Amino acid sequence: GAGVSQTPSNKVTEKGKYVELRCDPISGHTALYWYRQSLGQGPEFLIYFQGTGAADDSGLPNDRFFAVRPEGSVSTLKIQRTERGDSAVYLCASSLGVLAGGNTGELFFGEGSRLTVL
Amino acid sequence: QKEVEQNSGPLSVPEGAIASLNCTYSDRGSQSFFWYRQYSGKSPELIMFIYSNGDKEDGRFTAQLNKASQYVSLLIRDSQPSDSATYLCAVNPHYGGSQGNLIFGKGTKLSVKP
């Protein structure tokens, strides 16, 4: 697609429930990133995929958070047993993945999925 | 812990003035540096990137990098009310040809008064 697409744009859930957030990156982008942004804060890195594999998952806060990218394109961020502290905007970004051929290293962001845990 | 520090503001400037936004980073080996603009309720969008020491100009925007001081800045000349947004400094701490993730600062909120 023309840009990074994220669904749902808004999700309200109850504490303890399971949530899935979906990201469809820009066509041809091999790298995909998940960030979390709380009010008044900058984006906080969660996980980065290069192709199908997680190249860096050091930002995942605990084992309730998991992400997959089975075919190297669409990714799903999964949150189990949601807590009120998980409430935030979850941003997905994609990039060309390799610093060559004029790639600036720019990340292109989607509009985000706003998660509210009641 | 690799960190990117910004003054959260708000920074208020009159229309037509120069807005100066500053950022410091902790990882001396960082290779590339980005300024993103984020309007309220919207996603970040790239304004400038810079790799080399010195100044880089693009229209009303100038990015300045001093690797020895681990300092990046963004100057906005002839500020307009439409420049009112949060400006995020981001650093790629990875070496060589690796893309890797970006580390973001908390952002500086800029308000340009008509």
Side-chain angles (χ1 to χ4, degrees):
Chain A
V4 178
S5 176
Q6 292 189 247
T7 55
S9 55
N10 278 285
K11 175 71 177 178
V12 180
T13 191
E14 294 179 343
K15 180 175 178 296
K17 299 291 188 182
Y18 170 81
V19 166
E20 287 191 353
L21 306 175
R22 174 190 165 104
C23 173
D24 195 350
I26 292 172
S27 178
H29 281 190
T30 62
L32 184 147
Y33 309 77
W34 285 100
Y35 285 81
R36 176 170 70 175
Q37 188 173 27
S38 300
L39 193 63
Q41 302 294 314
E44 173 194 14
F45 170 71
L46 296 177
I47 186 170
Y48 149 55
F49 289 89
Q50 184 64 260
T52 60
D56 184 352
D57 65 357
S58 62
L60 294 177
N62 51 59
D63 61 5
R64 295 188 298 105
F65 289 76
F66 189 72
V68 295
R69 194 186 186 199
E71 297 179 356
S73 178
V74 170
S75 175
T76 304
L77 179 65
K78 308 181 180 192
I79 309 173
Q80 298 178 322
R81 304 184 303 280
T82 52
E83 300 177 356
R84 292 192 181 88
D86 299 335
S87 296
V89 175
Y90 289 80
L91 292 167
C92 177
S94 70
S95 75
L96 288 170
V98 177
L99 292 176
N103 176 24
T104 64
E106 175 185 359
L107 270 58
F108 296 83
F109 284 88
E111 290 298 319
S113 292
R114 180 177 297 278
L115 174 66
T116 302
V117 182
L118 301 177
Chain B
Q1 181 78 4
K2 297 170 183 173
E3 294 182 342
V4 177
E5 300 286 343
Q6 293 182 258
N7 187 329
S8 61
L11 173 65
S12 184
V13 301
E15 184 174 357
I18 296 175
S20 178
L21 305 161
N22 304 312
C23 171
T24 59
Y25 59 95
S26 63
D27 187 348
R28 184 171 290 278
S30 297
Q31 298 292 305
S32 50
F33 308 85
F34 303 81
W35 283 99
Y36 280 80
R37 178 176 63 198
Q38 187 173 28
Y39 292 114
S40 181
K42 298 295 186 181
S43 60
E45 56 178 339
L46 184 71
I47 297 296
M48 294 280 291
F49 66 91
I50 187 166
Y51 297 154
S52 303
N53 276 327
D55 295 359
K56 180 181 179 183
E57 186 175 320
D58 184 1
R60 295 187 297 112
F61 299 94
T62 299
Q64 298 175 317
L65 174 61
N66 183 328
K67 289 186 178 180
S69 300
Q70 295 174 235
Y71 177 89
V72 193
S73 66
L74 179 69
L75 300 178
I76 307 174
R77 290 181 298 281
D78 188 24
S79 296
Q80 300 297 309
S82 59
D83 294 327
S84 298
T86 295
Y87 288 81
L88 298 164
C89 174
V91 174
N92 184 342
H94 302 274
Y95 300 90
S98 171
Q99 167 83 64
N101 59 292
L102 298 186
I103 299 174
F104 285 83
K106 291 185 177 181
T108 298
K109 187 171 184 177
L110 173 66
S111 177
V112 181
K113 304 295 186 184

